[in-house]
Amino acid sequence: MTHPVLAGLDGSEASLAAVEWAAREAQLRGLPLHLVHALPPLPGPDVPGAAVDRLRHIGARTLRQAVAELGDRHPDVEVRGEQADDDPAAALLAAARDAELLVVGARGTGGFDGLAVGRVALRTAAAAPCPVVLLPARSGTLAEGVRAARGATSVVVGFDAHRPAGGVADFAFSAAEARAVGLRAVRAWALPAEAVSPRTLVVTEEDRATWEDQEVLRLTDALRPWREKYPAVAVRTDVMLLHPAEALLNASQGAALLVVGRRTDPRAPEGRLGAITHAVLHHARCPVAVVPHAD
């Protein structure tokens, strides 16, 4: 069974940009594209039936138009649309069970001015069984988003050499290979505990350089299996003495994609994002892929 690239559509500029990004991703991967339009959240159970029917009609028209326009721009991509009566997040999470990748706009038609990431985007990023790509609300119009992606020269991945996540690395390397761009592997680190203890008055430059060299070697060694698997991908390792979120945001400026992991735990409640991923989603200026992993 071929798993499609899935995209949420609500008619907003952000969702149209997400659909276009998803179509180009489907073309890169040789996969079909599945669009889902769900009814917007209703204010209560007493909404007149005529109003609900009107919303369904508008949604069907939005889907037809999107499918037709994508067919013109991407004739090699098989596109189908689906309407759902469920809550948008629930509808996307259900469809994501059979998807290779889910793409959503960071903010749709709801919310308020200045909101960076909406409820649907956060819930899908936190709970989807497949990788989720969020397009930032500040990416501008559809045309601006397409131009920025075409001009990017790298994919950036946050990588913890102490606890390497294979699924995250594989997604990032394959994304770089598909786009024929380089990969920038970022490792944020902190000084060892003994270096910042009350007994330590001064951290010498020599000690700092030694610790940093150890982190570089550890990162290089941890990436070796994927360098061998994807020999065409040029890899740049970047070890930064910064908070992880700050390091990733700095490195991702102008990137085609920023890839981060979301650790899954069957004992944890659904819908949890780590603090680093949460910060990145709210401040990144490029598309962000959140990849679930159990390792």
Side-chain angles (χ1 to χ4, degrees):
M1 177 181 178
T2 300
H3 297 290
V5 173
L6 173 68
L9 175 67
D10 64 8
S12 65
E13 184 67 37
S15 76
L16 293 174
V19 164
E20 175 63 25
W21 196 98
R24 289 185 284 112
E25 188 70 13
Q27 189 166 8
L28 284 174
R29 294 170 176 256
L31 296 175
L33 175 62
H34 180 192
L35 307 183
V36 172
H37 182 283
L39 287 178
L42 301 176
D46 299 326
V47 177
V52 176
D53 290 341
R54 177 62 177 165
L55 288 173
R56 289 196 183 100
H57 175 74
I58 293 173
R61 185 177 62 193
T62 301
L63 269 175
R64 287 195 301 270
Q65 182 176 351
V67 170
E69 292 178 353
L70 288 170
D72 291 338
R73 291 196 297 271
H74 305 278
D76 297 332
V77 177
E78 175 190 341
V79 186
R80 71 181 180 94
E82 174 191 352
Q83 276 192 289
D85 289 339
D86 292 333
D87 171 85
L92 289 172
L93 288 173
R97 297 189 191 110
D98 297 318
E100 183 79 12
L101 175 71
L102 168 60
V103 184
V104 295
R107 175 188 167 188
T109 55
F112 51 87
D113 289 344
L115 181 68
V117 186
R119 179 187 66 86
V120 173
L122 283 175
R123 186 176 172 201
T124 54
C130 65
V132 178
V133 172
L134 277 70
L135 266 69
R138 57 177 61 84
S139 60
T141 65
L142 171 60
E144 288 170 346
V146 172
R147 285 197 298 270
R150 287 175 177 169
T153 58
S154 67
V155 169
V156 175
V157 60
F159 196 80
D160 186 349
H162 297 266
R163 295 184 297 175
V168 178
D170 207 68
F171 184 95
F173 271 83
S174 64
E177 182 181 61
R179 290 163 174 76
V181 298
L183 179 72
R184 187 175 179 183
V186 175
R187 161 68 177 152
W189 70 292
L191 292 171
E194 62 268 21
V196 293
S197 70
R199 297 180 180 180
T200 304
L201 299 178
V202 177
V203 176
T204 68
E205 187 64 28
E206 183 179 359
D207 285 342
R208 181 187 180 281
T210 298
W211 289 319
E212 185 168 342
D213 288 345
Q214 290 173 351
E215 293 295 332
V216 171
L217 288 174
R218 187 174 286 113
L219 178 58
T220 301
D221 288 343
L223 289 169
R224 184 170 290 111
W226 293 280
R227 287 179 184 265
E228 295 172 354
K229 183 178 179 180
Y230 298 93
V233 176
V235 181
R236 172 185 172 186
T237 56
D238 209 340
V239 173
M240 300 185 187
L241 187 60
L242 289 173
H243 184 278
E246 185 178 3
L248 290 171
L249 290 169
N250 287 347
S252 68
Q253 294 184 32
L257 184 66
L258 169 59
V259 182
V260 295
R262 171 176 65 84
R263 189 173 298 277
T264 58
D265 185 346
R267 299 166 298 179
E270 179 188 80
R272 297 186 63 180
L273 286 172
I276 296 170
T277 299
H278 203 276
V280 164
L281 291 179
H282 279 82
H283 298 286
R285 295 181 177 272
C286 70
V288 179
V290 180
V291 182
H293 64 93
D295 46 350

